[in-house]
Short mmCIF file of all heavy atoms in Angstrom, two decimals:
data_model
loop_
_atom_site.label_atom_id
_atom_site.label_comp_id
_atom_site.label_asym_id
_atom_site.label_seq_id
_atom_site.Cartn_x
_atom_site.Cartn_y
_atom_site.Cartn_z
N MET A 1 4.53 -103.37 39.61
CA MET A 1 3.63 -103.00 38.54
C MET A 1 2.64 -101.90 39.00
O MET A 1 2.16 -101.95 40.12
CB MET A 1 2.85 -104.23 38.05
CG MET A 1 1.96 -103.93 36.90
SD MET A 1 1.26 -105.47 36.28
CE MET A 1 0.48 -104.83 34.83
N ARG A 2 2.40 -101.00 38.13
CA ARG A 2 1.48 -99.87 38.44
C ARG A 2 0.03 -100.39 38.46
O ARG A 2 -0.34 -101.29 37.74
CB ARG A 2 1.54 -98.78 37.36
CG ARG A 2 2.89 -98.15 37.27
CD ARG A 2 2.80 -97.10 36.20
NE ARG A 2 4.17 -96.60 35.91
CZ ARG A 2 4.45 -95.84 34.93
NH1 ARG A 2 3.55 -95.45 34.06
NH2 ARG A 2 5.68 -95.36 34.76
N ARG A 3 -0.74 -99.78 39.37
CA ARG A 3 -2.15 -100.16 39.43
C ARG A 3 -2.90 -99.59 38.27
O ARG A 3 -3.90 -100.12 37.85
CB ARG A 3 -2.75 -99.63 40.74
CG ARG A 3 -2.26 -100.38 41.92
CD ARG A 3 -2.90 -99.85 43.13
NE ARG A 3 -2.50 -100.63 44.28
CZ ARG A 3 -3.25 -100.96 45.26
NH1 ARG A 3 -4.48 -100.53 45.29
NH2 ARG A 3 -2.80 -101.71 46.23
N LYS A 4 -2.45 -98.49 37.78
CA LYS A 4 -3.12 -97.87 36.60
C LYS A 4 -2.11 -97.11 35.79
O LYS A 4 -1.02 -96.80 36.22
CB LYS A 4 -4.24 -96.88 37.05
CG LYS A 4 -3.69 -95.66 37.72
CD LYS A 4 -4.77 -94.71 38.10
CE LYS A 4 -4.15 -93.47 38.78
NZ LYS A 4 -5.10 -92.39 38.88
N GLU A 5 -2.45 -96.98 34.53
CA GLU A 5 -1.57 -96.29 33.58
C GLU A 5 -2.46 -95.43 32.70
O GLU A 5 -3.46 -95.94 32.09
CB GLU A 5 -0.79 -97.30 32.73
CG GLU A 5 0.17 -96.65 31.78
CD GLU A 5 0.98 -97.66 31.00
OE1 GLU A 5 0.93 -98.86 31.35
OE2 GLU A 5 1.61 -97.25 30.04
N LEU A 6 -2.15 -94.16 32.59
CA LEU A 6 -2.89 -93.26 31.74
C LEU A 6 -2.41 -93.42 30.33
O LEU A 6 -1.27 -93.14 30.00
CB LEU A 6 -2.68 -91.80 32.23
CG LEU A 6 -3.55 -90.77 31.58
CD1 LEU A 6 -5.06 -91.11 31.76
CD2 LEU A 6 -3.25 -89.43 32.22
N LEU A 7 -3.25 -93.96 29.46
CA LEU A 7 -2.87 -94.29 28.11
C LEU A 7 -2.96 -93.13 27.16
O LEU A 7 -2.12 -92.94 26.27
CB LEU A 7 -3.71 -95.45 27.57
CG LEU A 7 -3.61 -96.74 28.36
CD1 LEU A 7 -4.59 -97.75 27.79
CD2 LEU A 7 -2.15 -97.27 28.34
N ALA A 8 -3.97 -92.30 27.34
CA ALA A 8 -4.15 -91.09 26.50
C ALA A 8 -5.02 -90.13 27.27
O ALA A 8 -5.86 -90.55 28.08
CB ALA A 8 -4.79 -91.47 25.17
N ALA A 9 -4.84 -88.85 27.05
CA ALA A 9 -5.61 -87.84 27.74
C ALA A 9 -5.59 -86.54 26.97
O ALA A 9 -4.78 -86.34 26.01
CB ALA A 9 -5.02 -87.58 29.12
N GLY A 10 -6.42 -85.65 27.33
CA GLY A 10 -6.52 -84.33 26.75
C GLY A 10 -7.65 -83.57 27.39
O GLY A 10 -8.45 -84.13 28.13
N TYR A 11 -7.60 -82.27 27.23
CA TYR A 11 -8.72 -81.46 27.74
C TYR A 11 -9.21 -80.56 26.64
O TYR A 11 -8.45 -80.12 25.78
CB TYR A 11 -8.38 -80.73 29.04
CG TYR A 11 -7.15 -79.85 28.97
CD1 TYR A 11 -7.32 -78.51 28.73
CD2 TYR A 11 -5.85 -80.35 29.13
CE1 TYR A 11 -6.18 -77.66 28.66
CE2 TYR A 11 -4.78 -79.58 29.08
CZ TYR A 11 -4.91 -78.23 28.84
OH TYR A 11 -3.81 -77.38 28.77
N ILE A 12 -10.49 -80.29 26.66
CA ILE A 12 -11.11 -79.45 25.70
C ILE A 12 -11.39 -78.10 26.32
O ILE A 12 -11.90 -77.95 27.42
CB ILE A 12 -12.45 -80.03 25.20
CG1 ILE A 12 -12.14 -81.37 24.47
CG2 ILE A 12 -13.17 -79.08 24.24
CD1 ILE A 12 -13.36 -82.13 24.08
N ARG A 13 -10.99 -77.03 25.55
CA ARG A 13 -11.19 -75.65 26.03
C ARG A 13 -11.81 -74.84 24.94
O ARG A 13 -11.53 -75.04 23.75
CB ARG A 13 -9.88 -75.02 26.43
CG ARG A 13 -9.13 -75.76 27.48
CD ARG A 13 -7.85 -75.16 28.01
NE ARG A 13 -7.15 -74.38 27.02
CZ ARG A 13 -6.22 -73.49 27.40
NH1 ARG A 13 -5.91 -73.34 28.63
NH2 ARG A 13 -5.55 -72.85 26.46
N ASP A 14 -12.68 -73.91 25.33
CA ASP A 14 -13.19 -72.91 24.41
C ASP A 14 -12.46 -71.59 24.76
O ASP A 14 -12.47 -71.18 25.89
CB ASP A 14 -14.67 -72.72 24.56
CG ASP A 14 -15.51 -73.88 24.04
OD1 ASP A 14 -14.97 -74.67 23.25
OD2 ASP A 14 -16.67 -74.02 24.41
N VAL A 15 -11.77 -71.04 23.78
CA VAL A 15 -10.96 -69.87 24.00
C VAL A 15 -11.42 -68.72 23.13
O VAL A 15 -11.60 -68.93 21.91
CB VAL A 15 -9.47 -70.13 23.76
CG1 VAL A 15 -8.62 -68.94 24.13
CG2 VAL A 15 -8.99 -71.36 24.50
N LEU A 16 -11.65 -67.52 23.71
CA LEU A 16 -12.08 -66.36 22.98
C LEU A 16 -10.90 -65.44 22.78
O LEU A 16 -10.20 -65.09 23.76
CB LEU A 16 -13.17 -65.61 23.80
CG LEU A 16 -13.60 -64.25 23.22
CD1 LEU A 16 -14.25 -64.37 21.85
CD2 LEU A 16 -14.58 -63.59 24.24
N PHE A 17 -10.64 -65.01 21.55
CA PHE A 17 -9.58 -64.07 21.20
C PHE A 17 -10.21 -62.78 20.67
O PHE A 17 -11.28 -62.83 20.00
CB PHE A 17 -8.64 -64.69 20.12
CG PHE A 17 -8.00 -65.94 20.58
CD1 PHE A 17 -8.55 -67.16 20.26
CD2 PHE A 17 -6.83 -65.87 21.30
CE1 PHE A 17 -7.94 -68.33 20.70
CE2 PHE A 17 -6.23 -67.05 21.73
CZ PHE A 17 -6.75 -68.29 21.45
N ARG A 18 -9.56 -61.69 20.95
CA ARG A 18 -10.11 -60.36 20.43
C ARG A 18 -10.10 -60.31 18.94
O ARG A 18 -10.98 -59.68 18.36
CB ARG A 18 -9.17 -59.22 20.91
CG ARG A 18 -9.32 -58.95 22.40
CD ARG A 18 -8.47 -57.83 22.78
NE ARG A 18 -7.07 -58.15 22.42
CZ ARG A 18 -6.01 -57.37 22.66
NH1 ARG A 18 -6.18 -56.21 23.21
NH2 ARG A 18 -4.83 -57.77 22.29
N ASN A 19 -9.15 -60.96 18.30
CA ASN A 19 -9.10 -60.94 16.82
C ASN A 19 -8.34 -62.13 16.33
O ASN A 19 -7.73 -62.90 17.11
CB ASN A 19 -8.46 -59.62 16.35
CG ASN A 19 -7.15 -59.35 16.94
OD1 ASN A 19 -6.27 -60.23 16.94
ND2 ASN A 19 -6.91 -58.16 17.46
N SER A 20 -8.27 -62.31 15.01
CA SER A 20 -7.59 -63.48 14.45
C SER A 20 -6.10 -63.45 14.64
O SER A 20 -5.46 -64.50 14.75
CB SER A 20 -7.94 -63.65 12.94
OG SER A 20 -7.51 -62.54 12.24
N ASP A 21 -5.52 -62.24 14.72
CA ASP A 21 -4.09 -62.14 14.97
C ASP A 21 -3.72 -62.78 16.33
O ASP A 21 -2.70 -63.50 16.45
CB ASP A 21 -3.59 -60.72 14.90
CG ASP A 21 -3.60 -60.14 13.48
OD1 ASP A 21 -3.62 -60.95 12.51
OD2 ASP A 21 -3.63 -58.92 13.32
N ASP A 22 -4.48 -62.43 17.35
CA ASP A 22 -4.26 -62.99 18.68
C ASP A 22 -4.37 -64.50 18.63
O ASP A 22 -3.62 -65.23 19.32
CB ASP A 22 -5.22 -62.40 19.73
CG ASP A 22 -4.91 -60.94 20.05
OD1 ASP A 22 -3.82 -60.46 19.65
OD2 ASP A 22 -5.78 -60.30 20.70
N CYS A 23 -5.37 -65.04 17.91
CA CYS A 23 -5.53 -66.48 17.82
C CYS A 23 -4.34 -67.11 17.11
O CYS A 23 -3.83 -68.12 17.58
CB CYS A 23 -6.79 -66.73 16.99
SG CYS A 23 -7.19 -68.48 16.82
N GLN A 24 -3.83 -66.49 16.08
CA GLN A 24 -2.64 -67.03 15.33
C GLN A 24 -1.39 -67.06 16.26
O GLN A 24 -0.61 -67.97 16.17
CB GLN A 24 -2.43 -66.20 14.08
CG GLN A 24 -3.46 -66.45 13.03
CD GLN A 24 -3.66 -67.91 12.68
OE1 GLN A 24 -2.71 -68.65 12.49
NE2 GLN A 24 -4.92 -68.34 12.64
N VAL A 25 -1.23 -66.01 17.09
CA VAL A 25 -0.12 -65.99 18.04
C VAL A 25 -0.22 -67.15 19.00
O VAL A 25 0.78 -67.86 19.32
CB VAL A 25 -0.04 -64.67 18.76
CG1 VAL A 25 0.90 -64.71 19.94
CG2 VAL A 25 0.31 -63.53 17.79
N TYR A 26 -1.44 -67.41 19.49
CA TYR A 26 -1.65 -68.50 20.43
C TYR A 26 -1.32 -69.83 19.80
O TYR A 26 -0.59 -70.66 20.36
CB TYR A 26 -3.10 -68.48 20.88
CG TYR A 26 -3.47 -69.62 21.84
CD1 TYR A 26 -3.12 -69.53 23.15
CD2 TYR A 26 -4.22 -70.68 21.41
CE1 TYR A 26 -3.46 -70.52 24.07
CE2 TYR A 26 -4.59 -71.70 22.27
CZ TYR A 26 -4.19 -71.60 23.61
OH TYR A 26 -4.56 -72.61 24.46
N ILE A 27 -1.75 -70.08 18.57
CA ILE A 27 -1.47 -71.29 17.84
C ILE A 27 0.02 -71.44 17.50
O ILE A 27 0.58 -72.51 17.68
CB ILE A 27 -2.30 -71.35 16.54
CG1 ILE A 27 -3.81 -71.54 16.95
CG2 ILE A 27 -1.90 -72.51 15.62
CD1 ILE A 27 -4.78 -71.38 15.79
N TYR A 28 0.65 -70.33 17.19
CA TYR A 28 2.10 -70.33 16.93
C TYR A 28 2.83 -70.80 18.23
O TYR A 28 3.77 -71.65 18.15
CB TYR A 28 2.57 -68.94 16.53
CG TYR A 28 4.04 -68.84 16.32
CD1 TYR A 28 4.60 -69.06 15.10
CD2 TYR A 28 4.90 -68.47 17.39
CE1 TYR A 28 6.00 -68.98 14.90
CE2 TYR A 28 6.28 -68.39 17.21
CZ TYR A 28 6.81 -68.60 15.96
OH TYR A 28 8.15 -68.53 15.73
N ASP A 29 2.41 -70.26 19.36
CA ASP A 29 3.04 -70.65 20.65
C ASP A 29 2.87 -72.14 20.92
O ASP A 29 3.80 -72.78 21.42
CB ASP A 29 2.49 -69.80 21.76
CG ASP A 29 2.98 -68.38 21.76
OD1 ASP A 29 3.95 -68.08 21.03
OD2 ASP A 29 2.31 -67.53 22.42
N LEU A 30 1.67 -72.64 20.61
CA LEU A 30 1.48 -74.11 20.78
C LEU A 30 2.36 -74.91 19.88
O LEU A 30 2.97 -75.92 20.29
CB LEU A 30 0.02 -74.46 20.52
CG LEU A 30 -1.06 -74.00 21.51
CD1 LEU A 30 -2.45 -74.36 21.05
CD2 LEU A 30 -0.80 -74.59 22.91
N ASP A 31 2.44 -74.53 18.60
CA ASP A 31 3.24 -75.21 17.63
C ASP A 31 4.70 -75.26 18.04
O ASP A 31 5.39 -76.26 17.79
CB ASP A 31 3.18 -74.54 16.24
CG ASP A 31 1.86 -74.79 15.53
OD1 ASP A 31 1.21 -75.77 15.91
OD2 ASP A 31 1.52 -74.04 14.62
N HIS A 32 5.19 -74.19 18.64
CA HIS A 32 6.62 -74.11 19.01
C HIS A 32 6.88 -74.42 20.45
O HIS A 32 8.00 -74.34 20.90
CB HIS A 32 7.15 -72.72 18.60
CG HIS A 32 7.16 -72.52 17.17
ND1 HIS A 32 6.09 -72.08 16.45
CD2 HIS A 32 8.16 -72.74 16.24
CE1 HIS A 32 6.37 -72.02 15.16
NE2 HIS A 32 7.59 -72.43 15.06
N GLY A 33 5.83 -74.82 21.15
CA GLY A 33 5.99 -75.20 22.59
C GLY A 33 5.96 -76.65 22.85
O GLY A 33 6.01 -77.08 24.03
N GLY A 34 5.87 -77.46 21.84
CA GLY A 34 5.89 -78.94 22.03
C GLY A 34 4.61 -79.50 22.59
O GLY A 34 4.62 -80.60 23.15
N VAL A 35 3.52 -78.80 22.40
CA VAL A 35 2.20 -79.28 22.89
C VAL A 35 1.41 -79.87 21.74
O VAL A 35 1.27 -79.19 20.72
CB VAL A 35 1.43 -78.14 23.60
CG1 VAL A 35 0.06 -78.60 23.98
CG2 VAL A 35 2.16 -77.53 24.73
N ASP A 36 0.94 -81.13 21.94
CA ASP A 36 0.02 -81.67 20.89
C ASP A 36 -1.35 -81.07 21.12
O ASP A 36 -1.82 -80.91 22.24
CB ASP A 36 -0.03 -83.16 21.07
CG ASP A 36 1.23 -83.92 20.57
OD1 ASP A 36 1.96 -83.30 19.78
OD2 ASP A 36 1.41 -85.06 20.91
N TYR A 37 -1.99 -80.77 20.01
CA TYR A 37 -3.30 -80.19 20.08
C TYR A 37 -4.05 -80.44 18.76
O TYR A 37 -3.47 -80.85 17.74
CB TYR A 37 -3.26 -78.71 20.35
CG TYR A 37 -2.75 -77.90 19.17
CD1 TYR A 37 -3.65 -77.36 18.26
CD2 TYR A 37 -1.39 -77.72 19.00
CE1 TYR A 37 -3.15 -76.62 17.17
CE2 TYR A 37 -0.92 -77.00 17.96
CZ TYR A 37 -1.84 -76.47 17.00
OH TYR A 37 -1.35 -75.73 15.94
N ARG A 38 -5.36 -80.28 18.83
CA ARG A 38 -6.18 -80.33 17.62
C ARG A 38 -7.27 -79.33 17.77
O ARG A 38 -8.00 -79.31 18.78
CB ARG A 38 -6.76 -81.74 17.46
CG ARG A 38 -7.52 -81.86 16.14
CD ARG A 38 -8.04 -83.27 15.79
NE ARG A 38 -7.19 -84.31 16.40
CZ ARG A 38 -7.65 -85.23 17.26
NH1 ARG A 38 -8.94 -85.23 17.63
NH2 ARG A 38 -6.83 -86.17 17.70
N ILE A 39 -7.42 -78.48 16.81
CA ILE A 39 -8.54 -77.52 16.82
C ILE A 39 -9.79 -78.21 16.31
O ILE A 39 -9.81 -78.71 15.22
CB ILE A 39 -8.21 -76.29 15.95
CG1 ILE A 39 -7.01 -75.51 16.56
CG2 ILE A 39 -9.44 -75.33 15.83
CD1 ILE A 39 -6.52 -74.36 15.79
N LEU A 40 -10.80 -78.25 17.16
CA LEU A 40 -12.04 -78.99 16.88
C LEU A 40 -13.04 -78.10 16.11
O LEU A 40 -13.72 -78.58 15.21
CB LEU A 40 -12.65 -79.52 18.15
CG LEU A 40 -11.79 -80.45 18.98
CD1 LEU A 40 -12.49 -80.81 20.30
CD2 LEU A 40 -11.39 -81.67 18.21
N ASP A 41 -13.10 -76.83 16.48
CA ASP A 41 -14.00 -75.90 15.84
C ASP A 41 -13.38 -74.50 15.92
O ASP A 41 -12.59 -74.20 16.84
CB ASP A 41 -15.39 -75.83 16.54
CG ASP A 41 -16.26 -76.98 16.13
OD1 ASP A 41 -16.40 -77.24 14.91
OD2 ASP A 41 -16.89 -77.63 17.02
N SER A 42 -13.77 -73.64 14.98
CA SER A 42 -13.32 -72.29 14.96
C SER A 42 -14.54 -71.40 14.56
O SER A 42 -15.22 -71.79 13.56
CB SER A 42 -12.18 -72.07 14.04
OG SER A 42 -11.78 -70.76 14.03
N PHE A 43 -14.82 -70.33 15.24
CA PHE A 43 -15.91 -69.47 14.96
C PHE A 43 -15.43 -68.01 14.84
O PHE A 43 -14.83 -67.48 15.77
CB PHE A 43 -16.99 -69.52 16.08
CG PHE A 43 -17.43 -70.91 16.39
CD1 PHE A 43 -16.88 -71.61 17.41
CD2 PHE A 43 -18.43 -71.52 15.60
CE1 PHE A 43 -17.28 -72.92 17.71
CE2 PHE A 43 -18.85 -72.79 15.90
CZ PHE A 43 -18.27 -73.54 16.98
N ASN A 44 -15.63 -67.39 13.70
CA ASN A 44 -15.35 -65.99 13.50
C ASN A 44 -16.62 -65.24 13.79
O ASN A 44 -17.63 -65.45 13.11
CB ASN A 44 -14.87 -65.74 12.06
CG ASN A 44 -13.57 -66.39 11.79
OD1 ASN A 44 -12.63 -66.31 12.57
ND2 ASN A 44 -13.51 -67.13 10.68
N ARG A 45 -16.57 -64.30 14.75
CA ARG A 45 -17.74 -63.56 15.13
C ARG A 45 -17.79 -62.24 14.40
O ARG A 45 -16.80 -61.74 13.85
CB ARG A 45 -17.72 -63.35 16.66
CG ARG A 45 -17.80 -64.68 17.34
CD ARG A 45 -17.66 -64.66 18.82
NE ARG A 45 -17.90 -63.41 19.47
CZ ARG A 45 -18.32 -63.29 20.73
NH1 ARG A 45 -18.54 -64.37 21.47
NH2 ARG A 45 -18.50 -62.14 21.29
N ASP A 46 -19.01 -61.64 14.33
CA ASP A 46 -19.24 -60.37 13.62
C ASP A 46 -18.34 -59.22 14.10
O ASP A 46 -18.03 -58.31 13.37
CB ASP A 46 -20.69 -59.97 13.70
CG ASP A 46 -21.62 -60.93 12.92
OD1 ASP A 46 -21.07 -61.64 12.04
OD2 ASP A 46 -22.83 -60.97 13.24
N ASP A 47 -18.00 -59.23 15.40
CA ASP A 47 -17.18 -58.16 15.93
C ASP A 47 -15.68 -58.34 15.70
O ASP A 47 -14.89 -57.55 16.17
CB ASP A 47 -17.46 -58.00 17.43
CG ASP A 47 -17.03 -59.22 18.28
OD1 ASP A 47 -16.54 -60.20 17.69
OD2 ASP A 47 -17.16 -59.16 19.50
N GLY A 48 -15.32 -59.40 14.92
CA GLY A 48 -13.91 -59.62 14.64
C GLY A 48 -13.22 -60.59 15.56
O GLY A 48 -12.09 -61.03 15.32
N SER A 49 -13.87 -60.93 16.69
CA SER A 49 -13.30 -61.85 17.65
C SER A 49 -13.41 -63.27 17.08
O SER A 49 -14.14 -63.58 16.13
CB SER A 49 -13.96 -61.75 19.02
OG SER A 49 -15.32 -62.08 18.94
N VAL A 50 -12.61 -64.20 17.72
CA VAL A 50 -12.54 -65.57 17.24
C VAL A 50 -12.65 -66.44 18.46
O VAL A 50 -12.04 -66.22 19.50
CB VAL A 50 -11.24 -65.83 16.49
CG1 VAL A 50 -11.12 -67.30 16.09
CG2 VAL A 50 -11.01 -64.92 15.30
N ILE A 51 -13.47 -67.51 18.33
CA ILE A 51 -13.56 -68.55 19.34
C ILE A 51 -13.02 -69.84 18.74
O ILE A 51 -13.47 -70.21 17.64
CB ILE A 51 -15.02 -68.73 19.82
CG1 ILE A 51 -15.54 -67.45 20.48
CG2 ILE A 51 -15.07 -69.90 20.86
CD1 ILE A 51 -16.97 -67.51 20.80
N ILE A 52 -12.15 -70.51 19.43
CA ILE A 52 -11.74 -71.82 19.02
C ILE A 52 -12.05 -72.82 20.11
O ILE A 52 -11.98 -72.52 21.31
CB ILE A 52 -10.25 -71.93 18.66
CG1 ILE A 52 -9.34 -71.58 19.80
CG2 ILE A 52 -9.91 -71.06 17.47
CD1 ILE A 52 -7.84 -71.89 19.56
N ARG A 53 -12.44 -74.01 19.71
CA ARG A 53 -12.58 -75.14 20.65
C ARG A 53 -11.40 -76.03 20.31
O ARG A 53 -11.20 -76.48 19.17
CB ARG A 53 -13.86 -75.89 20.37
CG ARG A 53 -14.00 -77.13 21.26
CD ARG A 53 -15.45 -77.64 21.31
NE ARG A 53 -16.22 -76.68 22.15
CZ ARG A 53 -17.49 -76.63 22.09
NH1 ARG A 53 -18.22 -77.37 21.30
NH2 ARG A 53 -18.15 -75.74 22.88
N ILE A 54 -10.58 -76.26 21.31
CA ILE A 54 -9.28 -76.94 21.14
C ILE A 54 -9.17 -78.10 22.10
O ILE A 54 -9.50 -77.99 23.27
CB ILE A 54 -8.15 -75.89 21.24
CG1 ILE A 54 -6.80 -76.53 20.92
CG2 ILE A 54 -8.12 -75.26 22.59
CD1 ILE A 54 -5.67 -75.53 20.76
N LEU A 55 -8.66 -79.19 21.56
CA LEU A 55 -8.26 -80.36 22.39
C LEU A 55 -6.74 -80.27 22.61
O LEU A 55 -5.98 -80.25 21.57
CB LEU A 55 -8.61 -81.66 21.68
CG LEU A 55 -8.12 -82.95 22.25
CD1 LEU A 55 -8.74 -83.16 23.67
CD2 LEU A 55 -8.39 -84.11 21.34
N GLN A 56 -6.34 -80.16 23.82
CA GLN A 56 -4.90 -80.04 24.15
C GLN A 56 -4.42 -81.24 24.92
O GLN A 56 -5.13 -81.81 25.72
CB GLN A 56 -4.61 -78.76 24.93
CG GLN A 56 -4.58 -77.54 24.05
CD GLN A 56 -4.15 -76.33 24.84
OE1 GLN A 56 -5.00 -75.50 25.16
NE2 GLN A 56 -2.84 -76.24 25.14
N GLN A 57 -3.19 -81.52 24.77
CA GLN A 57 -2.46 -82.61 25.49
C GLN A 57 -2.53 -82.33 26.99
O GLN A 57 -2.38 -81.22 27.46
CB GLN A 57 -1.05 -82.61 24.95
CG GLN A 57 -0.20 -83.71 25.54
CD GLN A 57 1.23 -83.68 24.98
OE1 GLN A 57 1.69 -82.67 24.58
NE2 GLN A 57 1.86 -84.81 24.94
N TYR A 58 -2.70 -83.38 27.71
CA TYR A 58 -2.64 -83.35 29.20
C TYR A 58 -1.33 -83.87 29.64
O TYR A 58 -1.00 -85.05 29.33
CB TYR A 58 -3.79 -84.16 29.76
CG TYR A 58 -3.82 -84.20 31.28
CD1 TYR A 58 -4.27 -83.12 32.02
CD2 TYR A 58 -3.37 -85.34 31.96
CE1 TYR A 58 -4.27 -83.16 33.42
CE2 TYR A 58 -3.34 -85.38 33.32
CZ TYR A 58 -3.80 -84.25 34.04
OH TYR A 58 -3.80 -84.33 35.36
N ASN A 59 -0.54 -83.06 30.36
CA ASN A 59 0.81 -83.46 30.77
C ASN A 59 1.59 -83.98 29.56
O ASN A 59 1.62 -83.38 28.53
CB ASN A 59 0.79 -84.43 31.93
CG ASN A 59 0.32 -83.74 33.21
OD1 ASN A 59 0.42 -82.58 33.35
ND2 ASN A 59 -0.18 -84.54 34.12
N ASN A 60 2.22 -85.13 29.66
CA ASN A 60 3.01 -85.69 28.59
C ASN A 60 2.32 -86.91 27.96
O ASN A 60 2.93 -87.67 27.25
CB ASN A 60 4.39 -86.05 29.06
CG ASN A 60 5.22 -84.85 29.36
OD1 ASN A 60 5.05 -83.84 28.72
ND2 ASN A 60 6.06 -84.95 30.39
N CYS A 61 1.03 -87.10 28.21
CA CYS A 61 0.31 -88.24 27.69
C CYS A 61 0.05 -88.06 26.21
O CYS A 61 -0.12 -86.93 25.78
CB CYS A 61 -1.06 -88.39 28.41
SG CYS A 61 -0.87 -88.87 30.12
N PRO A 62 -0.06 -89.12 25.48
CA PRO A 62 -0.49 -89.00 24.11
C PRO A 62 -1.89 -88.37 24.03
O PRO A 62 -2.73 -88.59 24.92
CB PRO A 62 -0.53 -90.45 23.61
CG PRO A 62 0.36 -91.19 24.52
CD PRO A 62 0.28 -90.51 25.86
N LEU A 63 -2.12 -87.61 22.99
CA LEU A 63 -3.39 -86.95 22.83
C LEU A 63 -4.47 -87.98 22.50
O LEU A 63 -4.34 -88.88 21.67
CB LEU A 63 -3.30 -85.98 21.62
CG LEU A 63 -4.45 -85.00 21.47
CD1 LEU A 63 -4.57 -84.08 22.69
CD2 LEU A 63 -4.17 -84.11 20.23
N ILE A 64 -5.60 -87.88 23.27
CA ILE A 64 -6.68 -88.82 23.13
C ILE A 64 -7.41 -88.60 21.82
O ILE A 64 -7.51 -87.52 21.33
CB ILE A 64 -7.64 -88.73 24.33
CG1 ILE A 64 -8.56 -89.91 24.39
CG2 ILE A 64 -8.42 -87.42 24.28
CD1 ILE A 64 -9.28 -90.05 25.72
N GLU A 65 -7.90 -89.69 21.24
CA GLU A 65 -8.68 -89.64 20.01
C GLU A 65 -10.18 -89.54 20.41
O GLU A 65 -10.64 -90.40 21.13
CB GLU A 65 -8.46 -90.86 19.15
CG GLU A 65 -7.11 -90.97 18.57
CD GLU A 65 -6.77 -89.87 17.51
OE1 GLU A 65 -7.68 -89.46 16.83
OE2 GLU A 65 -5.64 -89.38 17.51
N LEU A 66 -10.85 -88.52 19.93
CA LEU A 66 -12.28 -88.36 20.30
C LEU A 66 -13.12 -88.90 19.14
O LEU A 66 -12.78 -88.88 18.03
CB LEU A 66 -12.61 -86.90 20.51
CG LEU A 66 -11.91 -86.23 21.69
CD1 LEU A 66 -12.32 -84.76 21.76
CD2 LEU A 66 -12.29 -86.92 22.96
#
């Protein structure tokens, strides 16, 4: 029997994109890459850049509920 088992995990990242198109490409890649994720926040800045705060799957563990 294992001493421990990782039941759920994830990591939170803040990612800055030059524009919304770059952000959409990133999200498209996640959607088609088999990675579970949840966008927690999205900020459109005055200069056209976009910041997203994203919770992403860690390895193959189920995505943790925050």
Side-chain angles (χ1 to χ4, degrees):
M1 181 173 187
R2 297 180 189 171
R3 289 183 177 216
K4 66 177 182 170
E5 181 178 351
L6 189 57
L7 300 177
Y11 55 96
I12 297 174
R13 303 184 327 162
D14 290 341
V15 185
L16 171 65
F17 299 94
R18 290 181 303 181
N19 53 50
S20 61
D21 290 340
D22 289 348
C23 182
Q24 291 303 314
V25 168
Y26 179 77
I27 293 170
Y28 177 89
D29 289 343
L30 289 176
D31 285 339
H32 292 86
V35 176
D36 285 342
Y37 70 93
R38 185 174 330 121
I39 296 175
L40 303 175
D41 281 312
S42 178
F43 307 96
N44 295 311
R45 298 173 20 153
D46 291 339
D47 64 358
S49 62
V50 177
I51 298 173
I52 62 170
R53 177 165 287 161
I54 186 169
L55 171 64
Q56 280 186 256
Q57 182 180 26
Y58 178 77
N59 289 337
N60 291 327
C61 293
L63 193 60
I64 195 165
E65 293 293 325
L66 296 179

